[in-house]
Amino acid sequence: MNDDVSRSSEYIHGSSPEEQHRLSLLNGILNESCLRELNLQPGEKVLDLGSGLGQFTRLIARTVGSEGHVVGIERDRHQIMQAKSLADSSGETELAEFRKGDALELPLSGSELGTFDVAHARFLLEHIPRPALVIEQMVRSVRPGGRIFVSDDDHDNFRPWPEPRGFHALWQAYVRSYERLGNDPYVGRRLVSLLRDAGLTSIRNTCVFFGGCAGNERFQAVADNLIGALEGAKDAMLSEAFLDEESFDTGMDGLQHWKAHSSAVLWYTVCCAEGTVPNQTI
């Protein structure tokens, strides 16, 4: 592959222990809701791109059961190691298969291509400069009549209320950090277009609620995920002078005060889209 095609963006949040903890919290918030939308059937063969810590991958594997097969693809070797460690500690060492690889050049053999029933990716396309190439790889991996299911962010959908002091400047700097890498922080709104352009049929779109309010049992995790995501992107924001350190601290302090507010609420939905690989693929 040429340099332009193979260029995967750096993950702006890094892979620190704090980021791993945040991702684990994120799985706890979203996995069950995402699984319902994925609508898996027993015995299906599933490819999970950007499998990260593997928590959702293993949930997928439990859902398709022993007659199914699940392969998780993750490019970060530290996350692969952590995913395998978590599987071991849960007594699920053999439940799903984890492979190191790039979503733009899948580590699949020729005999595996075109055999999966479902290809899934969540929060991956926003970190890829050319997400259409990932969809192309997903189409190649799935059998005719199989499904592609993608979920991703539209960063224009985050609405904390009451709006934290300094949040607007902080959020705009965060979004610009994505754009600097050539990525699309609003890719969620484009998911249907990406699937249609890849020749998929029977396309549908939906969303998964990813929010909460003070007093709700999940609000602490939701708020901590938002704060953790911004903390993890601090270096990316400051290194490009999208924000100065004083403004960053003001925004983060505002979020801490917001989290403690009796009427704090976060409105947000994750965009999801699904399409079917036609019998005659492009």
Short mmCIF file of all heavy atoms in Angstrom, two decimals, residues 167-191:
data_model
loop_
_atom_site.label_atom_id
_atom_site.label_comp_id
_atom_site.label_asym_id
_atom_site.label_seq_id
_atom_site.Cartn_x
_atom_site.Cartn_y
_atom_site.Cartn_z
N PHE A 167 -16.10 25.64 28.64
CA PHE A 167 -16.26 24.39 27.89
C PHE A 167 -16.22 24.61 26.38
O PHE A 167 -15.64 23.81 25.65
CB PHE A 167 -17.57 23.70 28.28
CG PHE A 167 -17.83 22.44 27.49
CD1 PHE A 167 -17.14 21.27 27.81
CD2 PHE A 167 -18.73 22.42 26.43
CE1 PHE A 167 -17.36 20.10 27.08
CE2 PHE A 167 -18.95 21.26 25.71
CZ PHE A 167 -18.27 20.10 26.04
N HIS A 168 -16.83 25.70 25.91
CA HIS A 168 -16.91 25.90 24.46
C HIS A 168 -15.51 25.97 23.84
O HIS A 168 -15.24 25.30 22.83
CB HIS A 168 -17.68 27.18 24.14
CG HIS A 168 -17.80 27.46 22.67
ND1 HIS A 168 -18.65 26.74 21.85
CD2 HIS A 168 -17.16 28.35 21.87
CE1 HIS A 168 -18.54 27.19 20.61
NE2 HIS A 168 -17.64 28.16 20.59
N ALA A 169 -14.62 26.75 24.43
CA ALA A 169 -13.26 26.87 23.89
C ALA A 169 -12.52 25.53 23.98
O ALA A 169 -11.78 25.15 23.06
CB ALA A 169 -12.49 27.95 24.65
N LEU A 170 -12.74 24.84 25.08
CA LEU A 170 -12.09 23.53 25.28
C LEU A 170 -12.57 22.53 24.23
O LEU A 170 -11.76 21.83 23.61
CB LEU A 170 -12.41 23.03 26.69
CG LEU A 170 -11.82 21.69 27.12
CD1 LEU A 170 -10.30 21.75 27.12
CD2 LEU A 170 -12.34 21.32 28.51
N TRP A 171 -13.86 22.49 24.00
CA TRP A 171 -14.41 21.52 23.05
C TRP A 171 -13.99 21.84 21.62
O TRP A 171 -13.68 20.93 20.84
CB TRP A 171 -15.93 21.48 23.17
CG TRP A 171 -16.53 20.32 22.43
CD1 TRP A 171 -17.24 20.34 21.27
CD2 TRP A 171 -16.46 18.95 22.81
NE1 TRP A 171 -17.61 19.08 20.89
CE2 TRP A 171 -17.14 18.19 21.82
CE3 TRP A 171 -15.87 18.27 23.89
CZ2 TRP A 171 -17.26 16.81 21.88
CZ3 TRP A 171 -15.99 16.89 23.95
CH2 TRP A 171 -16.68 16.18 22.96
N GLN A 172 -13.96 23.12 21.27
CA GLN A 172 -13.54 23.49 19.92
C GLN A 172 -12.08 23.11 19.69
O GLN A 172 -11.71 22.67 18.59
CB GLN A 172 -13.74 24.99 19.70
CG GLN A 172 -15.20 25.40 19.60
CD GLN A 172 -15.92 24.65 18.50
OE1 GLN A 172 -15.49 24.64 17.34
NE2 GLN A 172 -17.03 24.00 18.85
N ALA A 173 -11.24 23.27 20.69
CA ALA A 173 -9.83 22.87 20.56
C ALA A 173 -9.72 21.35 20.40
O ALA A 173 -8.90 20.86 19.61
CB ALA A 173 -9.04 23.34 21.77
N TYR A 174 -10.54 20.63 21.12
CA TYR A 174 -10.56 19.17 21.02
C TYR A 174 -10.93 18.74 19.60
O TYR A 174 -10.28 17.89 18.99
CB TYR A 174 -11.57 18.64 22.03
CG TYR A 174 -11.75 17.14 22.06
CD1 TYR A 174 -10.69 16.29 22.37
CD2 TYR A 174 -13.00 16.57 21.82
CE1 TYR A 174 -10.86 14.91 22.42
CE2 TYR A 174 -13.19 15.20 21.87
CZ TYR A 174 -12.12 14.37 22.17
OH TYR A 174 -12.30 13.03 22.23
N VAL A 175 -11.97 19.34 19.05
CA VAL A 175 -12.42 19.02 17.70
C VAL A 175 -11.33 19.36 16.68
O VAL A 175 -11.05 18.59 15.75
CB VAL A 175 -13.73 19.77 17.38
CG1 VAL A 175 -14.05 19.71 15.89
CG2 VAL A 175 -14.88 19.20 18.20
N ARG A 176 -10.68 20.48 16.85
CA ARG A 176 -9.62 20.89 15.92
C ARG A 176 -8.43 19.92 15.97
O ARG A 176 -7.71 19.76 14.97
CB ARG A 176 -9.17 22.31 16.21
CG ARG A 176 -10.21 23.37 15.87
CD ARG A 176 -9.69 24.77 16.13
NE ARG A 176 -8.61 25.11 15.21
CZ ARG A 176 -7.83 26.19 15.34
NH1 ARG A 176 -8.02 27.01 16.37
NH2 ARG A 176 -6.88 26.43 14.48
N SER A 177 -8.23 19.26 17.11
CA SER A 177 -7.16 18.27 17.21
C SER A 177 -7.41 17.10 16.27
O SER A 177 -6.47 16.54 15.68
CB SER A 177 -7.03 17.77 18.65
OG SER A 177 -6.68 18.82 19.52
N TYR A 178 -8.66 16.72 16.13
CA TYR A 178 -9.03 15.68 15.16
C TYR A 178 -8.75 16.16 13.74
O TYR A 178 -8.16 15.45 12.93
CB TYR A 178 -10.52 15.34 15.28
CG TYR A 178 -10.88 14.36 16.35
CD1 TYR A 178 -10.99 14.76 17.68
CD2 TYR A 178 -11.11 13.02 16.05
CE1 TYR A 178 -11.34 13.86 18.67
CE2 TYR A 178 -11.47 12.11 17.03
CZ TYR A 178 -11.58 12.53 18.35
OH TYR A 178 -11.92 11.64 19.33
N GLU A 179 -9.20 17.37 13.46
CA GLU A 179 -9.08 17.90 12.10
C GLU A 179 -7.62 18.07 11.69
O GLU A 179 -7.27 17.90 10.52
CB GLU A 179 -9.84 19.22 12.01
CG GLU A 179 -11.35 19.03 12.18
CD GLU A 179 -12.12 20.33 12.29
OE1 GLU A 179 -11.51 21.34 12.74
OE2 GLU A 179 -13.31 20.35 11.95
N ARG A 180 -6.75 18.41 12.65
CA ARG A 180 -5.33 18.57 12.34
C ARG A 180 -4.75 17.27 11.78
O ARG A 180 -3.86 17.28 10.91
CB ARG A 180 -4.55 18.96 13.59
CG ARG A 180 -3.04 19.08 13.36
CD ARG A 180 -2.28 19.29 14.65
NE ARG A 180 -2.33 18.13 15.53
CZ ARG A 180 -1.52 17.07 15.44
NH1 ARG A 180 -0.63 16.98 14.47
NH2 ARG A 180 -1.63 16.07 16.29
N LEU A 181 -5.26 16.14 12.25
CA LEU A 181 -4.77 14.85 11.80
C LEU A 181 -5.42 14.40 10.49
O LEU A 181 -5.12 13.31 9.99
CB LEU A 181 -5.05 13.79 12.88
CG LEU A 181 -4.31 13.99 14.21
CD1 LEU A 181 -4.86 13.06 15.27
CD2 LEU A 181 -2.82 13.79 14.03
N GLY A 182 -6.29 15.23 9.95
CA GLY A 182 -6.99 14.85 8.73
C GLY A 182 -8.19 13.98 8.97
O GLY A 182 -8.74 13.38 8.04
N ASN A 183 -8.62 13.89 10.24
CA ASN A 183 -9.75 13.05 10.61
C ASN A 183 -11.04 13.85 10.64
O ASN A 183 -11.03 15.08 10.54
CB ASN A 183 -9.50 12.39 11.96
CG ASN A 183 -8.26 11.51 11.93
OD1 ASN A 183 -7.87 11.02 10.87
ND2 ASN A 183 -7.65 11.31 13.08
N ASP A 184 -12.15 13.16 10.81
CA ASP A 184 -13.46 13.81 10.77
C ASP A 184 -14.17 13.63 12.11
O ASP A 184 -14.71 12.56 12.40
CB ASP A 184 -14.31 13.21 9.65
CG ASP A 184 -15.64 13.92 9.47
OD1 ASP A 184 -15.94 14.84 10.26
OD2 ASP A 184 -16.39 13.56 8.55
N PRO A 185 -14.21 14.67 12.95
CA PRO A 185 -14.89 14.56 14.25
C PRO A 185 -16.41 14.50 14.12
O PRO A 185 -17.10 14.30 15.11
CB PRO A 185 -14.45 15.84 14.98
CG PRO A 185 -14.17 16.81 13.88
CD PRO A 185 -13.60 16.00 12.75
N TYR A 186 -16.92 14.68 12.91
CA TYR A 186 -18.37 14.62 12.67
C TYR A 186 -18.74 13.42 11.80
O TYR A 186 -19.81 13.40 11.18
CB TYR A 186 -18.83 15.91 11.98
CG TYR A 186 -18.35 17.16 12.66
CD1 TYR A 186 -17.44 18.01 12.03
CD2 TYR A 186 -18.78 17.50 13.94
CE1 TYR A 186 -16.98 19.17 12.65
CE2 TYR A 186 -18.33 18.65 14.57
CZ TYR A 186 -17.43 19.48 13.92
OH TYR A 186 -16.98 20.62 14.54
N VAL A 187 -17.89 12.40 11.77
CA VAL A 187 -18.10 11.29 10.84
C VAL A 187 -19.41 10.56 11.09
O VAL A 187 -19.97 9.94 10.17
CB VAL A 187 -16.90 10.32 10.89
CG1 VAL A 187 -16.91 9.48 12.16
CG2 VAL A 187 -16.87 9.44 9.64
N GLY A 188 -19.95 10.63 12.31
CA GLY A 188 -21.20 9.94 12.60
C GLY A 188 -22.31 10.29 11.64
O GLY A 188 -23.08 9.41 11.22
N ARG A 189 -22.41 11.56 11.26
CA ARG A 189 -23.47 11.98 10.35
C ARG A 189 -23.27 11.46 8.93
O ARG A 189 -24.19 11.49 8.11
CB ARG A 189 -23.59 13.51 10.34
CG ARG A 189 -22.41 14.22 9.71
CD ARG A 189 -22.50 15.73 9.82
NE ARG A 189 -22.37 16.20 11.20
CZ ARG A 189 -22.26 17.49 11.54
NH1 ARG A 189 -22.29 18.42 10.59
NH2 ARG A 189 -22.13 17.84 12.79
N ARG A 190 -22.06 10.98 8.63
CA ARG A 190 -21.73 10.51 7.28
C ARG A 190 -21.83 9.00 7.12
O ARG A 190 -21.57 8.47 6.03
CB ARG A 190 -20.30 10.94 6.92
CG ARG A 190 -20.07 12.43 6.83
CD ARG A 190 -18.60 12.72 6.56
NE ARG A 190 -18.11 11.99 5.41
CZ ARG A 190 -16.88 11.50 5.29
NH1 ARG A 190 -16.00 11.66 6.27
NH2 ARG A 190 -16.50 10.85 4.21
N LEU A 191 -22.19 8.27 8.16
CA LEU A 191 -22.12 6.82 8.11
C LEU A 191 -22.98 6.23 7.00
O LEU A 191 -22.55 5.31 6.29
CB LEU A 191 -22.52 6.22 9.47
CG LEU A 191 -21.59 6.55 10.65
CD1 LEU A 191 -22.11 5.89 11.92
CD2 LEU A 191 -20.16 6.12 10.37
#
